[in-house]
Amino acid sequence: MVFSPAAPVMPFGIEYRDDRIGAEERARLMADPGFGRVLTEHMVTIRWTAERGWHGGRVGPYGGLSLDPATIGLHYGQIVFEGLKAYAQPNGEVGVFRPDAAAERLRQSARRLAMPELPERLFVQAIEELVRADREWVPEEVGKSLYLRPVVLATEADLGLHPAREYLFLLIAFVTDRFFSGPVRPLSVWLCEDYSRAAPGGTGMAKCPGNYAASLLAQQQAHERGCDQVIWLDAARREWVEEMGGMNIFFVMDRPGKPELVTPELGDTILPGITRDSLLVMARDRGYTTTERPFSVAEWRAACADGTMLEAFACGTAAVVAPIGTVQSEAGDWTVGNGGPGPLTLGLREALVDIHHGIAPDSHGWIHSIR
Ligand SMILES: Cc1ncc(COP(=O)(O)O)c(C=O)c1O
C-alpha cells in the first residue's frame, strides 16, 4: 500500500532543525537504544478547537511543551495515544506497519473519552511528515525500528469536569530494539489477583494513560515476585485471563492434526491489539484453527498439567511476540510446555518480523511505504 502521491489533507508548516545531531553521535545513540530513550529530532503537532476543527499541522524541532497548569488533560487524564513502528525496507523506503489500524483504534479510544476523532488520512500524513524529517533515525538492522507515538491531549485550561474544547495532537518517535533485552527468552508471569486493569464498562479497550498508571503497582508486585510481567484477570471473579502487561495473550493447544490457537475474545476490558489481529490472520493462513473465547486460569493450569497446552505467548507492537515459560500465582506455580520458547511461537514471530522488515511478501497490504 503506497499512499505517497496522495494530496495532503492539510498543508503542514515545516521547520527542520538546523542543529542536527552528527552522523557519528547518531550512530552511537542508535547502537544501543533500549526502549523509549533515544528520541528523534522532530515532532508533529496539530491543534483542534471546537470552532476550527483540526488545524495548524506543523513539523518542528522536538522540544518541550508549554502548558497552562489548569490543562484538563493533566488533571482529568483526557488523553489517548497510540504506538506503531516504522521499519527500513530493502528497497530504501520506510514501511510503517498498519497505520490505518492504529488510526482507527485512536479514533475508538477518542470516542470513549469524549474527544474529537483525528481522520485517518491526517494521522497517516503526520506519520509521513515525521518519518521524512527523521529518516536518518530509522535503523537499518533487522530487530530495530522507529517507534511512533501519537498522542491526543486535552489542552483547554478550565478545571470544570467536562470534555475539553481544545486539543493537541502530538507525534514523536524513538529508536528501539527489543522490548525485553537479550535474545528471545521465555517470560515468567505473575497472576495478579489484587488489582484489575479494566472493568466492564470502563476504559480497558481504549489506549488511555489511566489504564497504564493503574497497572504500575501490579507490575511492581510481579517484579517483587521475581516475574517479568503481570497477567491481568477479569475484575469481577479473577477467573478469566485477559491480557499480559501491555500485551495480548495466546495459548497454543495440542489438537489432532494441527495445534489450535486460543486467545481471549475482545470486549470492553481488552485492548484490541493490532499484533493480535495480524497473528490471527497469519495463523489462519498457515492452516491453524484460531478461537477467540473466554479462557480461564483453571483451564490454563489443567492444560499445562495434562500436556494439552503446548505453548503460550504474548504479543504487541513493542515486543512483537514473547513466549511465556512459567506462571506464578498465590495458588501455586506451573510451567507451560517444556518451559522454553515453542516452535509455533518462534515461527510466527519470525514470520511477522520478516513482514515488518520487507523480507517476506506483504500479502495483506499491511506495510504503508514512505519514500
Ligand atoms: C494493554 C495493551 N494490550 C495489548 C497491546 C498490544 O497492542 P498492539 O499489538 O496494537 O501493540 C498493547 C499495546 O499497545 C497494550 O497496551
Side-chain angles (χ1 to χ4, degrees):
M1 155 164 82
V2 179
F3 286 110
S4 306
V9 236
M10 182 183 286
F12 271 47
I14 297 185
E15 184 200 335
Y16 295 139
R17 290 182 81 118
D18 46 22
D19 56 341
R20 301 295 296 260
I21 291 176
E24 212 172 296
E25 173 64 357
R26 193 172 54 244
R28 191 188 66 75
L29 290 167
M30 289 173 72
D32 180 22
F35 187 86
R37 284 189 277 111
V38 178
L39 290 138
T40 65
E41 295 172 275
H42 294 91
M43 64 188 200
V44 171
T45 50
I46 311 175
R47 300 211 164 259
W48 186 95
T49 56
E51 302 75 38
R52 297 182 62 189
W54 294 105
H55 66 277
R58 178 173 183 270
V59 181
Y62 180 94
L65 299 174
S66 168
L67 293 175
D68 190 296
T71 295
I72 287 185
L74 282 182
H75 294 262
Y76 303 133
Q78 202 193 9
I79 304 173
V80 292
F81 67 101
E82 264 306 319
L84 68 168
K85 283 180 173 173
Y87 303 87
Q89 303 292 297
N91 63 2
E93 295 179 356
V94 176
V96 181
F97 191 68
R98 304 190 67 179
D100 48 346
E104 170 59 23
R105 191 170 62 189
L106 187 68
R107 288 201 303 276
Q108 280 172 17
S109 299
R111 270 200 294 281
R112 179 62 185 81
L113 270 75
M115 297 168 74
E117 297 174 34
L118 185 78
E120 177 185 318
R121 184 69 199 111
L122 195 48
F123 179 90
V124 173
Q125 188 190 347
I127 289 173
E128 290 170 346
E129 298 287 0
L130 188 67
V131 166
R132 289 196 186 107
D134 284 331
R135 174 66 185 87
E136 289 158 328
W137 292 90
V138 181
E140 298 295 329
E141 302 99 299
V142 170
K144 287 187 179 173
S145 54
L146 188 70
Y147 185 101
L148 300 159
R149 169 52 59 83
V151 184
V152 185
L153 163 75
T155 47
E156 188 187 3
D158 172 350
L159 290 184
L161 182 58
H162 58 79
R165 284 160 297 215
E166 284 173 23
Y167 296 85
L168 174 66
F169 169 86
L170 278 175
L171 175 64
I172 59 172
F174 57 83
V175 181
T176 173
D177 55 9
R178 293 186 197 288
F179 184 71
F180 299 110
S181 52
V184 179
R185 63 176 174 88
L187 302 176
S188 55
V189 296
W190 168 248
L191 284 193
C192 178
E193 296 184 55
D194 292 339
Y195 308 105
S196 313
R197 192 193 82 90
T203 57
M205 82 315 243
K207 210 162 162 61
C208 58
N211 294 343
Y212 297 83
S215 76
L216 295 174
L217 204 51
Q219 184 59 41
Q220 220 172 42
Q221 196 181 59
H223 284 155
E224 281 160 13
R225 303 272 178 165
C227 291
D228 298 297
Q229 284 286 319
V230 56
I231 294 287
W232 296 112
L233 305 176
D234 74 287
R237 297 164 63 176
R238 306 280 199 262
E239 189 178 328
W240 305 101
V241 180
E242 296 198 325
E243 301 203 51
M244 185 200 84
M247 304 174 79
N248 295 113
I249 190 164
F250 276 86
F251 303 101
V252 181
M253 310 300 287
D254 193 12
R255 300 286 184 248
K258 273 196 168 179
E260 176 194 11
L261 275 87
V262 182
T263 187
E265 68 187 338
L266 297 177
D268 57 3
T269 58
I270 294 183
L271 192 85
I274 295 163
T275 318
R276 173 190 182 278
D277 182 71
S278 309
L279 292 173
L280 283 171
V281 171
M282 291 167 64
R284 288 193 286 266
D285 286 349
R286 283 162 177 69
Y288 300 119
T289 305
T290 60
T291 310
E292 297 172 70
R293 65 168 169 87
F295 196 91
S296 69
V297 173
E299 182 176 357
W300 191 354
R301 193 171 186 168
C304 287
D306 69 16
T308 43
M309 183 177 296
L310 303 173
E311 305 173 27
F313 63 86
C315 65
T317 297
V320 188
V321 170
I324 298 173
T326 49
V327 186
Q328 289 185 35
S329 75
E330 293 290 2
D333 306 344
W334 66 90
T335 301
V336 180
N338 64 9
L344 192 147
T345 302
L346 292 178
L348 278 177
R349 180 189 163 87
E350 195 181 319
L352 187 51
V353 168
D354 284 353
I355 295 174
H356 289 155
H357 290 278
I359 297 165
D362 175 27
S363 50
H364 296 287
W366 286 337
I367 299 291
H368 175 82
S369 291
I370 302 174
R371 298 197 174 97

